[in-house]
């Protein structure tokens, strides 16, 4: 049973690593960004509401995001562990996640902080803009998303660090090398893929 969070700025490689780790640990990767994009694409009421915030590089309101995650974590496949990619991103979301876990008598095992310097992040996001054509990967929106991350999300790392949960991982280098670093730090805590 592994319950982990991936925290890091946009472009740090969270989505890529989340998919690889989820497979390795046989747990669902829950990406709030992916869920929002799916809803935007399908023009659901949630998608219609979230789109404007996403296009501007702002966070979708906590009330919507918390409800979405609370629902997703109640699904059967998340009872044996999960990987949250891109949640929590605000202090309100951190409190909500604490509440959800407390209600389920569970707790987080590890918070993986993926780091990369700003120039590298901007380079990667510009590249992704060309490849994927995401509406929120334009230069102005990228800059804004990095600022919002620094302001609202980076401080959460201190909260989790004070609980002894943070493993800081260098997100630079080959994808498989970064994955190996993460797995090493997870296993160093006595957590194993088939535990
Ligand atoms: P991501 O793919 O994780 O970079 O997320 C893309 C966009 O979805 C973000 O810029 C936000 O607009 C929205 N989003 C994703 N996760 C959250 C969250 N936890 N809280 C608020 N907004 C979010």
């Amino acid at each position: 049973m592994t319950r982990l969070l991936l925290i890091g700025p946009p472009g740090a490689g969270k989505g890529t690593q989340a998919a690889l780790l989820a497979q390795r640990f046989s747990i669902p990767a829950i990406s709030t960004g992916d869920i929002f994009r799916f809803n935007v694409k399908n023009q659901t009421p949630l998608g219609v509401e979230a789109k404007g915030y996403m296009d501007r590089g702002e966070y979708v309101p906590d009330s919507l995001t918390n409800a979405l995650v609370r629902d997703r974590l109640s699904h059967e496949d998340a009872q044996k562990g999960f990987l949250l990619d891109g949640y929590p991103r605000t202090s309100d979301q951190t409190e909500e996640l604490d509440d959800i876990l407390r209600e389920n008598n569970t707790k987080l095992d590890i918070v993986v902080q993926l780091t990369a310097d700003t120039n590298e992040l901007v380079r990667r996001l510009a590249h992704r803009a060309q490849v994927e054509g995401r509406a929120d990967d334009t230069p102005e929106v990228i800059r804004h998303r990095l600022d919002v991350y620094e302001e609202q999300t980076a401080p959460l790392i201190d909260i989790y660090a004070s609980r002894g949960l943070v493993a800081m991982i260098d997100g630079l280098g080959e994808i498989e090398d970064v994955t190996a670093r993460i797995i090493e730090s997870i296993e160093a805590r006595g957590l194993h893929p088939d535990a």
Side-chain angles (χ1 to χ4, degrees):
M1 294 231 221
T2 311
R3 295 183 177 84
L4 64 124
L5 303 186
L6 267 185
I7 293 193
K14 294 189 299 296
T16 304
Q17 295 300 330
L20 293 166
L21 293 167
Q23 198 178 18
R24 170 72 183 244
F25 286 85
S26 305
I27 51 177
I30 301 173
S31 155
T32 43
D34 282 351
I35 297 173
F36 283 132
R37 275 186 290 279
F38 175 88
N39 280 276
V40 168
K41 195 166 142 223
N42 291 289
Q43 298 182 353
T44 68
L46 176 65
V48 169
E49 187 134 19
K51 187 177 186 320
Y53 298 101
M54 295 174 74
D55 287 350
R56 290 192 297 275
E58 280 160 23
Y59 287 165
V60 176
D62 288 329
S63 56
L64 291 175
T65 310
N66 286 337
L68 178 157
V69 172
R70 181 174 271 281
D71 173 70
R72 183 62 188 84
L73 287 179
S74 73
H75 293 197
E76 183 59 35
D77 68 340
Q79 304 316 305
K80 292 218 174 69
F82 54 78
L83 185 164
L84 279 169
D85 158 20
Y87 180 94
R89 268 166 142 121
T90 65
S91 53
D92 189 75
Q93 293 177 17
T94 303
E95 285 169 24
E96 177 77 3
L97 180 61
D98 282 345
D99 287 346
I100 296 171
L101 294 174
R102 197 177 312 115
E103 288 163 26
N104 292 328
N105 284 316
T106 57
K107 54 185 178 46
L108 291 173
D109 295 306
I110 182 168
V111 173
V112 174
Q113 177 195 1
L114 266 188
T115 64
D117 77 35
T118 309
N119 290 338
E120 174 65 12
L121 295 174
V122 171
R123 197 189 63 73
R124 287 185 188 180
L125 291 165
H127 175 73
R128 186 170 76 185
Q130 283 179 344
V131 178
E132 295 178 15
R134 267 175 59 161
D136 59 352
D137 274 344
T138 63
E140 303 76 46
V141 178
I142 287 173
R143 243 181 321 237
H144 187 54
R145 287 166 61 214
L146 289 168
D147 287 346
V148 172
Y149 172 83
E150 281 307 323
E151 198 179 298
Q152 299 202 46
T153 305
L156 307 180
I157 294 166
D158 289 342
I159 297 177
Y160 289 119
S162 72
R163 301 181 192 175
L165 286 174
V166 176
M168 197 201 274
I169 306 288
D170 181 1
L172 286 186
E174 298 297 323
I175 289 172
E176 56 267 32
D177 293 340
V178 177
T179 311
R181 278 176 218 145
I182 298 174
I183 290 174
E184 200 183 325
S185 76
I186 293 174
E187 292 186 345
R189 284 163 190 255
L191 306 164
H192 294 282
D194 44 16

